[in-house]
Amino acid sequence: MTAEEPVATELNRFSRTLTQEISNPAAKAMLFGVGLSEDDMQKPQIGIASTGYEGNTCNMHLNGLSVYVKQGIQANGLVGLIFNTIGVSDGMTNGNDGMRYSLPSRDLIADSIESVVTAQWYDGVVTVVGCDKNMPGAVMAMARLDRPGIMVYGGTIRSGHYKGQKLDIVSAFEALGKKYANNISDEDYNGVIRNSIPGAGACGGMYTANTMASSIEAMGLSLPFSSSYPATHEGKQEECKKIGAAMRVLLERNITPQDIITPKSLENALTVVMALGGSTNAVLHFLAIARSAGLSLTIDDIQAISDRVPLLADLKPSGKYYMEDMLAIGGVPAVMKYLLKNGMLHGDCMTVTGKTVAENLVDIPDLDFDAQQIIHPLTNPIKKTGHIQILRGNLAPTGSVAKITGKEGERFEGVAKVCEHEGDVIDALQNGGIQAGQVIVIRNAGPKGGPGMSEMLKPTSAVMGAGFGDKVALITDGRFSGGTHGFVVGHITPEAFEGGPIALVKDGDRITIDTIGREITLHVSDEELAERRRQWTPPAPRFVKGVLGKYIRNVKSASEGCVTDEA
Ligand code: FES
């Protein structure tokens, strides 16, 4: 699709089934009942899906932003109808018990948006989303629906402050590690907890929410600067009000998500993930988004992008700066312009503005490398290739995902310390069971075994907070928070629940993680592993009913994006 393509004739091509066809009097009666006028019955209807809810700072303001979106929709001759779907706070899930629901919530969000928009015959959809799983869930639904759609990111949080230090959610987790190591007073511990989170917005580093928001903007499914305006910045409300005009263009030209999500735009998205040092969760989510759009994307495709894109951004968790600092230097559009100018983005990809990536960036000022230190030039990158590395080997025959920024080294060799639950790491830290030179193995945390493939932010933060830094490595068939840093390898497949080799590791086994050779090796003979396998008993599923029972039965492996809607 190009900027000159023809106008579609029926803007209300779906909703007219309810508003124009004589066979649906009850639907029309109900639409009058919710306040639509005779005039409104001729207009296209746009579902506005909000993951707003009061109990999470990432989502607490989204219902308010949805009202601004609706105003912009109505002002452009369209009918906006707000509905809600769920969210799960990744910051408040309390270890496995709650965290089991985090990744499944992505697919629940996708399923619920697909259900409402299809069942109610909406002509387009705007998704207003905040916490980690909201964005991929929304985009998966938009790809499946393939009706004109725009994602609005709720925005990053401002940083907290305590005793002259900037804080965020990871500061609270790391304070716990310091407490276990007796490195912090009770007063300062409480001061950090009290001041880490000052209000609305998603976690403030280049963690999963900001990673997905930045890369989805690069993919073209949100307006320029959507990922750069903090939640409380006035630009965020302005963005919401502009959605109506953009939606009108998409409807008139029938530009749909599958025109926007293409092999090239997926490459653009993942290029931005690598340049900005984004979360390993982006691997899972873009595998799933591609599948929702009917496209093929593999972990090896992602490795190829990592091989050619340097890490440029000095952003947390491994760097110094927060997402809120990005706006002042030109935001994600300035980074995109720099990448485009250097031949690292496809400029001809369509976006929700109705213009191409290159057209959107024409008036964006260039990055000023003399005036800012957040984004390094390509001539002096933080790391010459991407930080996300796909490792295979006898410990991960079908793949695993490492996050290597270069600060933690490129090779780790150590002895296994096996933990069947992330809580065991915390116990071990408290009783001196964690020592330098160990590879902590957290297993039965995969998509089926966890279930839900829990994030390991609590153990990794506690290990960092306790001062182990680059002295230990952590590997798991679970996954990591975008806030995790250190020498970590997750998404190990096959997972332990399915009899992957990680199920056979014993305390004291030697493990090598080689990110140059991209190999993760368990130094145990094939004969010994075969004997251990003979003695291994498959674990019973932890749930057989409810959301998690369904999830265990349906979820694909991490190397397949943990999708739940494929046979
Ligand atoms: Fe919501 Fe981190 S807990 S973005």
Side-chain angles (χ1 to χ4, degrees):
M1 174 95 37
T2 66
E4 286 78 35
E5 289 221 357
V7 168
T9 48
E10 301 282 4
L11 304 195
N12 59 349
R13 59 182 72 83
F14 292 100
S15 63
R16 68 192 323 279
T17 304
L18 303 187
T19 57
Q20 309 298 312
E21 290 183 11
I22 191 130
S23 57
N24 286 314
K28 201 163 175 182
M30 293 192 92
L31 289 170
F32 279 124
V34 301
L36 267 59
S37 66
E38 245 349 308
D39 191 31
D40 290 334
M41 292 295 165
Q42 310 302 319
K43 297 176 182 173
Q45 295 182 4
I46 308 301
I48 303 167
S50 166
T51 54
Y53 65 104
E54 291 179 335
N56 185 30
T57 42
C58 324
N59 296 58
M60 60 189 276
H61 59 307
L62 301 182
N63 287 345
L65 293 181
S66 301
V67 173
Y68 291 116
V69 170
K70 178 167 177 161
Q71 287 171 3
I73 293 278
Q74 307 275 99
N76 280 277
L78 313 169
V79 172
L81 294 160
I82 297 172
F83 66 94
N84 279 90
T85 181
I86 63 134
V88 165
S89 170
D90 278 66
M92 300 167 63
T93 45
N94 193 23
N96 256 350
D97 297 339
M99 183 50 88
R100 286 182 173 129
Y101 287 87
S102 167
L103 186 59
S105 77
R106 179 193 76 180
D107 295 58
L108 289 172
I109 290 167
D111 291 351
S112 61
I113 295 173
E114 176 196 332
S115 300
V116 174
V117 173
T118 309
Q120 306 313 134
W121 295 88
Y122 292 141
D123 301 297
V125 60
V126 180
T127 54
V128 185
V129 285
C131 201
D132 291 8
K133 305 304 168 296
N134 297 188
M135 277 76 70
V139 171
M140 286 161 69
M142 291 158 75
R144 290 182 200 166
L145 287 161
D146 203 30
R147 300 181 193 186
I150 305 175
M151 190 192 88
V152 178
Y153 176 45
T156 189
I157 198 169
R158 302 282 193 182
S159 50
H161 294 87
Y162 180 69
K163 290 192 171 174
Q165 293 226 311
K166 279 188 171 187
L167 303 175
D168 70 359
I169 185 72
V170 177
S171 315
F173 279 113
E174 292 189 352
L176 181 66
K178 289 181 185 162
K179 192 171 164 70
Y180 290 148
N182 287 323
N183 283 340
I184 190 170
S185 69
D186 283 349
E187 183 194 343
D188 286 345
Y189 176 75
N190 291 327
V192 168
I193 305 301
R194 186 73 189 81
N195 293 288
S196 290
I197 305 292
C203 294
M206 188 44 68
Y207 311 146
T208 304
N210 283 323
T211 298
M212 294 311 297
S214 302
S215 50
I216 289 167
E217 178 181 328
M219 192 168 68
L221 267 188
S222 53
L223 293 182
F225 289 100
S226 183
S227 59
S228 307
Y229 292 129
T232 53
H233 191 279
E234 60 189 18
K236 186 49 70 182
Q237 292 179 12
E238 293 308 311
E239 174 193 345
C240 292
K241 291 177 188 167
K242 286 184 195 161
I243 292 296
M247 180 55 81
R248 180 125 207 134
V249 170
L250 296 181
L251 286 166
E252 288 175 350
R253 292 175 46 203
N254 195 22
I255 298 171
T256 65
Q258 289 189 24
D259 295 318
I260 292 171
I261 306 171
T262 64
K264 279 182 172 179
S265 75
L266 286 166
E267 207 176 321
N268 283 353
L270 286 157
T271 295
V272 165
V273 170
M274 301 305 169
L276 294 182
S279 160
T280 49
N281 285 314
V283 173
L284 281 183
H285 298 327
F286 278 104
L287 292 175
I289 287 167
R291 292 167 98 106
S292 295
L295 299 171
S296 156
L297 179 77
T298 67
I299 52 175
D300 297 313
D301 296 329
I302 295 172
Q303 178 67 57
I305 296 168
S306 179
D307 288 344
R308 67 170 180 77
V309 181
L311 168 58
L312 300 178
D314 192 9
L315 290 165
K316 284 185 174 294
S318 51
K320 276 205 280 294
Y321 296 96
Y322 291 91
M323 190 68 186
E324 66 175 348
D325 302 321
M326 285 282 287
L327 188 60
I329 66 158
V332 167
V335 179
M336 288 175 63
K337 183 158 190 172
Y338 181 62
L339 294 172
L340 180 71
K341 275 187 158 182
N342 285 279
M344 303 185 83
L345 287 187
H346 301 287
D348 57 345
C349 294
M350 180 50 62
T351 77
V352 290
T353 62
K355 298 179 182 169
T356 64
V357 166
E359 288 167 341
N360 286 343
L361 297 175
V362 166
D363 295 326
I364 300 295
D366 288 323
L367 279 172
D368 182 346
F369 288 106
D370 295 327
Q372 60 85 33
Q373 285 82 44
I374 304 175
I375 305 297
H376 286 217
L378 286 161
T379 49
N380 179 31
I382 291 170
K383 183 171 179 288
K384 286 191 177 126
T385 58
H387 59 299
I388 290 177
Q389 297 292 318
I390 306 298
L391 310 184
R392 287 191 171 84
N394 70 346
L395 200 39
T398 53
S400 63
V401 179
K403 182 178 186 180
I404 304 295
T405 63
K407 294 184 179 171
E408 55 288 280
E410 288 168 328
R411 186 182 160 88
F412 193 99
E413 185 156 351
V415 292
K417 163 75 181 169
V418 178
C419 297
E420 301 293 348
H421 186 282
E422 65 171 292
D424 296 350
V425 180
I426 307 297
D427 293 344
L429 268 177
Q430 283 178 298
N431 63 28
I434 300 296
Q435 286 156 17
Q438 286 178 335
V439 178
I440 301 168
V441 181
I442 306 178
R443 67 185 174 197
N444 292 310
K448 287 178 186 287
M453 207 182 174
S454 294
E455 287 185 350
M456 300 297 154
L457 183 56
K458 204 168 180 181
T460 55
S461 297
V463 164
M464 291 305 259
F468 283 103
D470 56 6
K471 298 187 194 73
V472 299
L474 193 150
I475 70 171
T476 179
D477 53 5
R479 62 197 171 88
F480 296 109
S481 158
T484 292
H485 56 131
F487 208 118
V488 294
V489 183
H491 308 208
I492 287 183
T493 61
E495 63 172 294
F497 180 85
E498 299 207 290
I502 189 173
L504 309 177
V505 180
K506 289 187 172 175
D507 277 347
D509 286 349
R510 207 156 53 83
I511 292 173
T512 303
I513 306 163
D514 173 7
T515 65
I516 302 292
R518 292 192 202 125
E519 213 165 353
I520 180 162
T521 308
L522 177 64
H523 297 282
V524 173
S525 69
D526 291 345
E527 296 73 31
E528 168 67 12
L529 280 178
E531 178 54 31
R532 289 184 192 180
R533 183 169 297 287
R534 269 192 289 280
Q535 291 176 18
W536 179 74
T537 312
R542 286 183 164 130
F543 297 85
V544 292
K545 296 185 74 169
V547 171
L548 297 178
K550 275 200 273 190
Y551 195 76
I552 292 169
R553 287 192 291 280
N554 292 320
V555 70
K556 294 276 184 189
S557 83
S559 290
E560 299 165 295
C562 293
V563 295
T564 53
D565 63 342
E566 291 182 8

